[in-house]
Amino acid sequence: MGNDGKTPMLDDLEKGAWPSFVKEIKVAAKKSNTAKDLLGILERSYRDKVTHWKHGGIVGVLGYGGGVIGRYCDLPEEFPGVAHFHTVRVNPPSGFFYTSKALKELCDIWDKYGSGMTNMHGSTGDMIWLGTQTDKLEPIFAEITAKGWDLGGSGSCLRTPSSCVGMARCEFANIDTMDICHTLTHKFQDELHRPAFPYKFKIKVSGCANDCTAAVARADMSIIGTWRDSIRIDQAEVKNYSSKMNIQEEIVGMCPTKCMSFDGGALKINDKDCNRCMHCINQMPKALRPGKERGATIMLGGKAPIVTGALMSWVIVPFMKLEAPYDNLEDLIRKLWEWWDEHGKNRERIGELVDRMGMRSMLESTGLPPVPQMVKAPRTNPYVFWAPGEVK
Amino acid sequence: MADKPKRITDLGSPDYKKFLPPAIAKNYGKWKYHEQLGKGVMKHVSETGDELYTVRIATPRLVSTDYIREMCDIAEKFCGGFLRWTTRHNVEFFPAKDQVDALTADLKKRGHLVGGIGYGISNVVHTQGWIHCHTPATDASGVVKAVMDELHEYFTTKSLPARVRIALACCLNMCGAVHCSDIAILGIHRLPPKVNEATLANQCEIPTTIASCPTGAISPNPATKSVKIKAERCMYCGNCYTMCPSLPIADGSGDGISIYVGGKVSNARGPARMSKLVIPFLPNNPPRWPETVKAVKHLVEVYAANAKKHERMGEWIERIGWERFFKLTGIPFTYQHIDDFTFARDTFRMTPTFKWE
Ligand code: HEM
Ligand code: HEM
Ligand code: SF4
Ligand code: SF4
Ligand code: SF4
Ligand code: SF4
């Protein structure tokens, strides 16, 4: 079964309403043999029902420990164009806003050195350029840096931080997510490019509890905006909404803390009982707005299943004011890394380390006080540890 | 090489402020409210009174440079060359009010799907699959394409009781971190890695290979200078293969897809939660994965017919109870549904209070 250049299975995926990645590879294949062989080897995977990529070796650019994923195929004779098929991660601007001029310059660079295929974007948020060879990496790096771009993270390092659109276009944002993301990326360039952690560390910033970046699920540190004072209400707009929706049923009735009431005229919120879940604000953005005393909840430990099971981030700071230059946040992150560096085993995420060592070790070394917001409930088991000196 | 530019490093992300459309730069942090104008258009209104229009389309995520150039051309024609990608692989344009209809018409004429806003199905977050990775148990782009060819109307026109977020990861590593999605499509292996004794000693460091296994299934095999895998301990995570290329885990008939439902990341009405297993295995059947497409469509339709407005899939299931969910969907409940890993006991029910039909 040689490489006959035919791709009947993939051709079928050109049909249908949803945009087709096969069409895209074919467009790129007109200019690039790498893209052409990508199509061929992918068709082979469709036939064999297994991948034809091999584990990557270490490749990269001088002075960086990450930013490139090495990849080789297991059928190099048949598909020489993808014998080497490394990907390059390019750090995007916060919020993924672009100008056409900047993007076209990047496209020109990528067409010159690679397959012309990209992921916009990878799950961490980097622009991902798929398919180039080792000897092209330095020239790519030189050309993107000349235009003001840099590589993102890979390996046991800080991965490229990402944020929701926040204040740029969302009235719910309690913190300047894009600026926080940008500032942290710049404060931690060394940690991003030169892997020195036990394992990867991800930071995601969402402006409110809707968590559009899925920070709680996808980041070791999840920064989620919230407020502490009262929801701002525009009663006239409440009235307008009351002709479009059933406020009693859809808003008051679905409020998880049962802190609202509506008498047909005015909407009342007992803000002491509101837990700032965003439901009512999502449904009536014209009438309800978050309060003015804004900040963020800092959570730690989210990750996918490898190795001991998936974790969602949990609270370590219920409320932190976040204003430029965010030194308080930087300070906390550096302390957490120090603790993780000291105790973490190879390939142990920070959340797993808290699991192994307990919250107390982490809290003591970062100076964070224990507070009830950290737990769903205090412990039920009586196996309580006391530190030397606590028993007098 | 005299023409070689000077080596620059550690630039970090370019300054986002350079890329903001003027209306956004001017009203940054001043947005007051928004309105949804159909499935693919929204309007944001600022405290200054300015208005911003956003038009959203779906992309296949895996795109050519020519696709990006087309997006740029559209942005140049309708909105000063400014555009943005969303966290779910959609593209957004920011036309002036009087350009919204012309832009939407132009996008549709070019064959793009305008939508993805509000209660329906937005783009599917997914991973690399057979396009680029070494550990996938299924493809990513192909499964997404097949599923969304069937469900695209929930992106463009049809509504659902609430948002339904679909995500796909092609192995347990879950680069797409799908574990908090309304519907998570997850590639799984079902056979332990095969030990390639001929190459292992050369390619792998035995102690790190053994240490890489979370369940302690790997032990040394001094006779062959290789390792042994205790099959009954292996949960097919592929961790060892990432450390050691002589332990390939992919298998044409062993590999396939599992489906988890009911997760979410938003805290609205209740905290974020993880997705739960409902279909333990569906075969890999490229190019269209008909079993997976049918299963996802069925889950969406049963949910649409039964959930209350604003109720996410997980909230609906919690209200009706899992026994009724399995009855309504007709999905069989099996040994695989009962957790037997680290957090198993948290998932057992400890009350004799049931809703009987
Ligand atoms: C032990 C666990 C993991 C391993 C061994 C692993 C391995 C890999 C590998 C080999 C790739 C390269 C795929 C390619 O060839 O392009 C990759 C890509 C990626 N991984 Fe992971 N991964 C792990 C966990 C995660 C987790 C938990 C996340 C996110 C929460 C993640 C996010 C990503 C992202 C964003 C990419 C870029 C490709 C994409 O977006 O599809 N990975 N990972
Ligand atoms: C009506 C209230 C909401 C507004 C105004 C809103 C606004 C937004 C905005 C501006 C984005 C683009 C953000 C980005 O890509 O960085 C976004 C994306 C997203 N939102 Fe929300 N959001 C709302 C409610 C929610 C809720 C309740 C959820 C979850 C239950 C949610 C989940 C998401 C997700 C997953 C994305 C990524 C979607 C995509 O890029 O297509 N949002 N939302
Ligand atoms: S997380 Fe909140 S602030 Fe950020 S885009 Fe989503 S709704 Fe807006
Ligand atoms: S934010 Fe949530 S808890 Fe607070 S009033 Fe609104 S619905 Fe109730
Ligand atoms: S989910 Fe698994 S198979 Fe898919 S890209 Fe990530 S590591 Fe590779
Ligand atoms: S696949 Fe995972 S569980 Fe199985 S032997 Fe390898 S590391 Fe261990």
Side-chain angles (χ1 to χ4, degrees):
Chain A
M1 155 165 107
N3 173 19
D4 55 13
K6 294 207 176 73
T7 56
M9 289 178 117
L10 291 176
D11 295 349
D12 194 61
L13 290 173
E14 286 186 89
K15 299 174 205 145
W18 194 252
S20 168
F21 67 99
V22 176
K23 265 187 205 156
E24 293 305 316
I25 307 178
K26 287 194 175 176
V27 167
K30 284 190 200 130
K31 293 190 246 179
S32 152
N33 279 329
T34 305
K36 193 158 146 263
D37 277 351
L38 174 63
L39 204 61
I41 202 164
L42 186 61
E43 178 76 14
R44 185 63 62 82
S45 278
Y46 271 55
R47 263 193 251 166
D48 300 347
K49 302 188 192 182
V50 293
T51 189
H52 283 292
W53 300 107
K54 288 200 297 187
H55 191 257
I58 306 235
V59 291
V61 302
L62 190 67
Y64 279 17
V68 181
I69 308 269
R71 189 64 74 215
Y72 305 90
C73 81
D74 62 6
L75 302 167
E77 283 82 27
E78 278 180 76
F79 303 102
V82 293
H84 296 225
F85 193 72
H86 309 323
T87 57
V88 179
R89 295 183 173 181
V90 179
N91 196 333
S94 280
F96 307 128
F97 285 93
Y98 297 98
T99 57
S100 57
K101 178 171 172 286
L103 272 182
K104 284 179 176 175
E105 284 170 1
L106 289 176
C107 289
D108 292 343
I109 298 173
W110 184 229
D111 277 346
K112 190 160 145 198
Y113 296 108
S115 72
M117 288 307 297
T118 73
N119 286 144
M120 294 291 282
H121 300 78
S123 341
T124 305
D126 287 314
M127 242 185 272
I128 295 193
W129 293 359
L130 288 157
T132 189
Q133 293 83 35
T134 309
D135 59 344
K136 313 272 175 57
L137 297 172
E138 280 296 336
I140 292 173
F141 186 65
E143 292 214 22
I144 63 169
T145 48
K147 296 283 180 196
W149 300 81
D150 195 357
L151 297 180
S154 68
S156 295
C157 65
L158 171 66
R159 297 298 180 84
T160 308
S162 79
S163 78
C164 73
V165 71
M167 292 191 170
R169 203 210 39 212
C170 185
E171 68 271 26
F172 301 159
N174 293 288
I175 48 176
D176 192 345
T177 56
M178 282 170 42
D179 196 51
I180 294 168
C181 174
H182 183 74
T183 308
L184 293 182
T185 305
H186 283 254
K187 280 180 193 268
F188 299 135
Q189 277 296 292
D190 204 35
E191 287 80 1
L192 204 154
H193 295 306
R194 293 164 198 94
F197 292 159
Y199 203 7
K200 62 183 98 169
F201 191 93
K202 301 188 178 182
I203 302 177
K204 291 194 193 287
V205 194
S206 285
C208 78
N210 285 329
D211 193 6
C212 293
T213 62
V216 73
R218 306 203 293 176
D220 298 272
M221 174 170 275
S222 322
I223 301 169
I224 300 182
T226 187
W227 69 96
R228 292 217 300 202
D229 52 345
S230 302
I231 292 179
R232 288 176 283 167
I233 309 182
D234 181 336
Q235 297 291 357
E237 290 294 346
V238 172
K239 213 173 207 99
N240 288 337
Y241 277 109
S242 73
S243 63
K244 286 182 281 183
M245 61 165 74
N246 183 337
I247 292 184
Q248 185 56 41
E249 199 171 299
E250 292 178 46
I251 309 298
V252 176
M254 294 186 93
C255 165
T257 62
K258 304 287 172 250
C259 68
M260 315 177 90
S261 62
F262 180 61
D263 60 10
L267 182 73
K268 285 211 188 77
I269 301 178
N270 176 358
D271 285 279
K272 274 212 172 96
D273 282 349
C274 162
N275 70 8
R276 289 134 184 100
C277 81
M278 290 301 293
H279 171 68
C280 58
I281 300 177
N282 286 341
Q283 302 314 324
M284 306 202 294
K286 239 171 150 167
L288 303 179
R289 305 175 72 186
K292 289 185 160 170
E293 193 193 339
R294 298 163 169 215
T297 301
I298 314 292
M299 299 161 81
L300 190 74
K303 57 176 273 296
I306 298 290
V307 174
T308 57
L311 299 175
M312 283 172 21
S313 295
W314 55 87
V315 175
I316 60 165
V317 182
F319 189 85
M320 186 187 256
K321 280 250 171 234
L322 286 182
E323 271 146 27
Y326 318 107
D327 289 340
N328 52 348
L329 182 59
E330 176 185 359
D331 189 49
L332 173 63
I333 294 172
R334 288 199 190 278
K335 280 188 190 149
L336 284 165
W337 286 344
E338 240 169 72
W339 174 75
W340 184 37
D341 238 13
E342 189 176 331
H343 304 286
K345 295 190 223 165
N346 185 32
R347 286 182 34 102
E348 185 174 45
R349 297 281 281 267
I350 198 165
E352 293 167 322
L353 180 61
V354 175
D355 254 6
R356 184 162 65 82
M357 307 257 312
M359 281 279 274
R360 178 167 185 162
S361 167
M362 184 272 288
L363 294 175
E364 279 180 344
S365 81
T366 49
L368 292 172
V371 292
Q373 285 92 336
M374 288 173 178
V375 296
K376 289 181 198 153
R379 77 164 77 212
T380 54
N381 76 67
Y383 311 126
V384 182
F385 292 101
W386 299 93
E390 279 186 330
V391 186
K392 290 201 179 96
Chain B
M1 284 204 276
D3 58 342
K4 210 171 153 187
K6 189 170 148 280
R7 203 160 187 284
I8 314 168
T9 69
D10 296 76
L11 287 178
S13 45
D15 189 352
Y16 61 91
K17 293 187 197 86
K18 289 196 302 197
F19 300 127
L20 298 178
I24 286 186
K26 181 176 162 216
N27 295 289
Y28 196 94
K30 296 188 193 139
W31 298 108
K32 198 167 165 207
Y33 67 89
H34 74 282
E35 280 170 331
Q36 207 183 304
L37 314 170
K39 293 283 284 184
V41 185
M42 20 178 203
K43 171 171 102 168
H44 284 78
V45 179
S46 160
E47 278 160 2
T48 64
D50 288 0
E51 292 181 345
L52 177 78
Y53 289 82
T54 302
V55 177
R56 187 183 285 179
I57 63 166
T59 82
R61 182 177 102 118
L62 181 60
V63 297
S64 64
T65 44
D66 282 354
Y67 184 97
I68 299 173
R69 289 191 184 93
E70 186 197 3
M71 295 297 118
C72 290
D73 291 340
I74 297 169
E76 280 167 12
K77 186 164 164 205
F78 290 98
C79 39
F82 293 95
L83 71 167
R84 139 166 220 273
W85 261 258
T86 74
T87 48
R88 298 191 80 91
H89 321 307
N90 297 314
V91 168
E92 294 180 336
F93 301 99
F94 309 101
K97 185 177 182 180
D98 58 6
Q99 291 288 298
V100 172
D101 291 339
L103 168 61
T104 310
D106 190 66
L107 287 166
K108 287 184 180 164
K109 203 174 85 205
R110 293 165 180 267
H112 296 296
L113 299 183
V114 177
I117 298 175
Y119 285 179
I121 300 179
S122 185
N123 213 330
V124 179
V125 169
H126 60 281
T127 48
Q128 302 289 14
W130 295 334
I131 288 282
H132 193 257
C133 195
H134 68 294
T135 56
T138 187
D139 190 32
S141 317
V143 183
V144 168
K145 164 77 173 143
V147 167
M148 288 312 289
D149 272 344
E150 199 63 35
L151 295 177
H152 65 93
E153 285 167 332
Y154 293 108
F155 187 90
T156 51
T157 51
K158 282 194 197 167
S159 278
L160 287 167
R163 289 177 172 76
V164 174
R165 300 291 187 211
I166 306 181
L168 178 147
C170 33
C171 85
L172 305 186
N173 288 331
M174 289 195 196
C175 295
V178 299
H179 54 288
C180 293
S181 307
D182 295 275
I183 301 180
I185 305 171
L186 179 66
I188 53 161
H189 303 287
R190 294 185 302 165
L191 293 170
K194 296 170 204 69
V195 182
N196 191 341
E197 294 192 331
T199 54
L200 195 136
N202 271 336
Q203 285 188 329
C204 315
E205 205 194 322
I206 292 182
T208 40
T209 306
I210 291 173
S212 74
C213 177
T215 65
I218 307 178
S219 58
N221 187 354
T224 56
K225 294 208 175 78
S226 167
V227 297
K228 286 185 287 210
I229 297 183
K230 206 176 235 163
E232 65 276 17
R233 278 218 187 163
C234 174
M235 43 70 165
Y236 331 114
C237 69
N239 227 20
C240 53
Y241 179 58
T242 299
M243 286 292 143
C244 169
S246 293
L247 295 173
I249 190 168
D251 184 280
S253 48
D255 298 349
I257 282 175
S258 58
I259 296 189
Y260 289 66
V261 307
K264 69 180 189 110
V265 293
S266 152
N267 290 276
R269 299 171 303 283
R273 62 204 64 171
M274 291 194 199
S275 319
K276 283 101 185 161
L277 177 69
V278 293
I279 303 181
F281 185 77
L282 296 166
N284 269 333
N285 217 342
R288 289 245 161 223
W289 282 268
E291 298 85 356
T292 300
V293 171
K294 194 171 146 217
V296 173
K297 191 174 183 205
H298 180 59
L299 285 164
V300 170
E301 285 171 354
V302 176
Y303 159 77
N306 290 280
K308 289 186 189 166
K309 194 170 174 196
H310 308 308
E311 231 173 22
R312 295 280 292 262
M313 187 162 302
E315 295 172 277
W316 162 63
I317 297 170
E318 274 161 37
R319 176 169 60 80
I320 63 170
W322 282 99
E323 46 274 47
R324 192 166 295 164
F325 168 85
F326 281 98
K327 186 154 190 209
L328 278 172
T329 54
I331 296 170
F333 191 83
T334 65
Y335 289 125
Q336 275 82 14
H337 289 93
I338 303 179
D339 195 349
D340 47 18
F341 204 57
T342 32
F343 309 128
R345 199 142 51 95
D346 292 350
T347 66
F348 300 159
R349 226 185 286 183
M350 294 156 182
T351 157
T353 53
F354 309 110
K355 294 175 195 159
W356 296 104
E357 297 289 327

